[in-house]
Structure formats: C-alpha cells, structure tokens
Amino acid sequence: MTTVSRSVRLRTVLGWPVGIAAVSWRYMWRTIPLHRSEEAGTRADLPGRVYGTSGFADRLQPLDAGVGPMLHRSYGVRIAGTSMAPSALIDLVSARLNQASPEMAVFRKTRGAQGSLRQGDEFVVRMPGPWDGPVRVVRRDEASFRLATLAGHLEAGEIEFRAKPDGDALHFEIESWARAGDRLSALLYNKLRLAKEIQLNMWSHFCLRTARLAGGRPQGGITIRTRWVPWD
C-alpha cells in the first residue's frame, strides 16, 4: 500500500479553488447541450451484485450504511469520429483517470500497481470540502470497471464506467447508485442540492474529457438521468 505525502496533499488542497473555478467557468460557457431528467425511482433501480468481494470486503461503505434516499444517476455521451474499441477506451481511461477527471477531483492510488487497474486496487479521490473519497475497484472486465465507496466517503454506494459500440461511434456511460454518507452530506445533497450539482458538473465534464481521450467528439450532447429511490 502506498501513502500520499503531505506536500502532495497540500498541493492538491491548494489547487481546489483553481479547479472549482476552472470547471465552473467552463460549465457556464459550455456549448455542449445537457439533456437532464429527474423522476421517481423504485427498488428496481438498485444495483445488481455483479462482483464477488471475497478477500477485500473490509471497510466497504454499502448503500445500507448511507442516509436518505438513493440517487440512481447516469451520464452518457456518444463519441463520434473515433476508431477506438470500447475495451481500448476503458483501458485508457483506467490508466489516465486524472486526464479524464476535472481539476476539482484528483485520483491518488493508495493500493495496487501504478499504470493498471485491477480488482482490489484502491484510490483516494481528493475533492473540495472536508471529505476525501476513498474507493476500491470491485469489478474490472474488458469494457468496464466499478468502484465502491469505503468508510469515510461522502457517499455510500457504487459507480461504474463502461463503453460499448454505438453504430459507427462509441457510447461512454457513467452510472452511479449512491446515498449520502452521513447527515451533513444528506443536507448538502438532498436539501441544498449543492453537492448534487457539483457532482453533475464533475461527471459530465468527465464524459467530455473521455471523448477527447478517445480522439473523437461528443455528438448530441450529454444525457443525465436521475431517479430518486426512497429508502426505508
């Protein structure tokens, strides 16, 4: 397991205001259309257990550990003008997470070999605010990978990144299933909706940067779907 030095962490923290400002500026002047929808969800929106956790289930922060409703969200983009295969794109994104991620979120690997992505690898995602985002790779296959939150994360849940053919183009999608990690997070997400909008900005920008990594262009804008699922 690797650790992050204080100097690296300090540079990351000092870079947050610049990163937030840069991403917000691009968000305000973005010409790429965002197709947003929100609706009530059901228990059918829950993620399927498509992976095994034998040997690395410790410290996972599952949906049951969260607070408030579950948000099932997806962010999709059609990437035209690329000859890259879905598996090649996912390999590239997994190896260059910080090139796909906006400046406000920095991935620091804390477990696993650099330059690759395997089940059991761990990251800390440095984000604005008092929270870091520890995550673990719980699934990795040819054209997708899934991260699950660990104890101390702002959220409780999972997020998956995947690609597939779409005619003569590629379709890249990010899908998440998450509840707030604690009551303060629930206030920011479900009442003030501040963190929810920052998250939307972050992952829609991730889609645009992925299109650039693929050597293509986003076609038809970004589709963002949100379904709110009550949680007893």
Side-chain angles (χ1 to χ4, degrees), residues 147-166:
L147 309 177
T149 58
L150 298 177
H153 198 288
L154 175 68
E155 296 178 320
E158 304 172 3
I159 186 167
E160 183 168 291
F161 304 76
R162 57 179 175 262
K164 64 180 181 180
D166 186 3

Side-chain angles (χ1 to χ4, degrees), residues 126-150:
R126 307 294 187 191
M127 298 180 293
W131 304 275
D132 290 332
V135 296
R136 178 179 294 148
V137 181
V138 292
R139 185 188 185 208
R140 175 72 164 97
D141 60 23
E142 185 178 3
S144 72
F145 62 91
R146 185 180 293 200
L147 309 177
T149 58
L150 298 177

